[in-house]
Amino acid sequence: MMKTAWVFPGQGSQVLGMGVDLLTIDSAKATFDRASVILGWSVLDVCQNDEVKLANTRYTQPSLYVIESILVDLLRQRGLKPDIVAGHSLGEYVALYAAGVFDFETGLELVKRRAELMDLASQGGMTALLGFDREQLEAAIADTEDVVIANDNSTAQVVISGTAAGIAAVVAKIKVKRAIPLNVSGAFHSPMMATAAAEFGKLLAPIDFHDAKIPVLSNVAPIPTTDARKLKAQLDSQITGAVRWREISLQLPELGIERAIEVGPGKVLGGLIKRTCESISVAQVSGISDLESIG
């Protein structure tokens, strides 16, 4: 049987209408109802009717977690199981749920608080860079204060995070095909998120993690592990740490993975994996029609 990775997208992959088709499945409807009790608002209402709210971190992250977790449950009901899991930023919480590290409710409580803390961040920003020389970029960042690589997505795409002045200085020092400022409230995945990370750490500390049933590739340490203590420590450092997705992609063929299934809206992760590792086939599960065709 083909060795398969399940990968879970994060903030930025949301789209109005996502998850609505799942309402026809009783178990999915029950999960949406459980989520409403925890969140105090309806994921379905936001995803169906409010594009402005859906773009807001407080609503984006829990909505993605709930919908992707439902898709995990539905894949399991069809007897499917991955050989390894990974998620991009917020998506790592779904990966941990899929691996049995914590239950749905625990994950959602964590995501809810994470989203609130990140939404309160008001310092700095993020800019996506496409088409650049990596050595030149790394040299510019090393020579510039208050800016880091936040998302190392592929050889041709990164996101830098930091102060407005730091980001502008880096962009001015390098040749880049496109520099796209992101609509976020702060400098996510950078040291500027230290206050939010400290508050989140207080919530995370007493929560029990279980050893994973499936190896997980974490954002900050893309080496497969099932160890609960390591997974918890890695998640604890994720808000300030970089998303090392390029390294995660490169790990997949080394681990014998032949196919990656992106579980959630959009095709961003599948595209990044395919551009990094041409030998790996990619597929998507974002709704009922995809569930019927996957196997």
Side-chain angles (χ1 to χ4, degrees):
M1 184 174 289
M2 187 178 292
K3 290 194 71 174
T4 300
W6 289 0
V7 297
F8 304 95
Q11 193 166 347
S13 293
Q14 70 274 5
V15 60
L16 196 66
M18 67 180 187
V20 174
D21 63 331
L22 301 174
L23 192 56
T24 60
I25 301 174
D26 288 343
S27 61
K29 184 178 183 302
T31 301
F32 280 123
D33 290 342
R34 287 157 59 203
S36 294
V37 173
I38 293 170
L39 296 171
W41 50 270
S42 167
V43 168
L44 280 172
D45 284 351
V46 171
C47 290
Q48 281 181 289
N49 305 309
D50 201 327
E51 193 166 11
V52 174
K53 271 190 175 180
L54 185 58
N56 182 300
T57 297
R58 286 176 181 257
Y59 297 92
T60 308
Q61 294 188 12
S63 295
L64 286 168
Y65 174 84
V66 170
I67 289 167
E68 292 175 23
S69 295
I70 289 172
L71 291 170
V72 166
D73 293 342
L74 295 175
L75 285 165
R76 286 171 172 162
Q77 289 173 20
R78 284 160 172 75
L80 300 177
K81 179 183 176 182
D83 296 283
I84 202 158
V85 292
H88 192 284
S89 190
L90 176 278
E92 185 168 315
Y93 289 76
V94 191
L96 293 170
Y97 168 66
V101 174
F102 46 61
D103 61 23
F104 171 79
E105 287 82 3
T106 298
L108 185 55
E109 291 279 9
L110 289 172
V111 168
K112 177 179 182 289
R113 188 62 182 137
R114 178 188 194 263
E116 292 168 349
L117 290 167
M118 292 179 75
D119 186 51
L120 289 172
S122 58
Q123 291 184 313
M126 305 178 78
T127 293
L129 305 179
L130 293 87
F132 53 86
D133 179 273
R134 182 167 288 268
E135 288 188 9
Q136 186 185 54
L137 172 63
E138 290 176 350
I141 287 176
D143 193 43
T144 308
E145 291 185 355
D146 300 324
V147 63
V148 297
I149 294 177
N151 298 349
D152 184 3
N153 289 329
S154 74
T155 55
Q157 183 192 122
V158 302
V159 175
I160 59 175
S161 184
T163 63
I167 290 172
V170 167
V171 172
K173 291 175 183 177
I174 65 172
K175 292 181 179 179
V176 58
K177 186 175 181 180
R178 293 183 69 192
I180 308 167
L182 302 185
N183 183 23
V184 294
S185 60
F188 299 167
H189 296 292
S190 84
M192 295 179 71
M193 297 296 294
T195 299
E199 287 299 312
F200 182 77
K202 295 176 185 176
L203 173 68
L204 184 64
I207 293 175
D208 290 329
F209 275 38
H210 304 290
D211 286 343
K213 298 175 183 177
I214 302 159
V216 180
L217 288 165
S218 295
N219 286 191
V220 300
I223 298 170
T225 185
T226 59
D227 186 276
R229 290 172 298 176
K230 288 182 180 179
L231 292 168
K232 187 174 184 178
Q234 289 161 2
L235 192 67
D236 192 28
S237 62
Q238 195 216 60
I239 291 178
T240 54
V243 177
R244 296 162 61 182
W245 193 259
R246 177 176 61 89
E247 294 173 73
I248 287 175
S249 297
L250 290 169
Q251 276 284 310
L252 298 180
E254 295 295 319
L255 297 168
I257 298 298
E258 301 165 274
R259 179 175 66 163
I261 299 176
E262 185 166 2
V263 182
K267 299 180 180 180
V268 172
L269 298 187
L272 291 173
I273 290 169
K274 194 64 179 175
R275 284 192 289 274
T276 303
C277 308
E278 293 182 0
S279 64
I280 294 181
S281 66
V282 296
Q284 184 190 25
V285 173
S286 62
I288 292 175
S289 60
D290 299 320
L291 285 166
E292 298 301 329
S293 62
I294 207 74

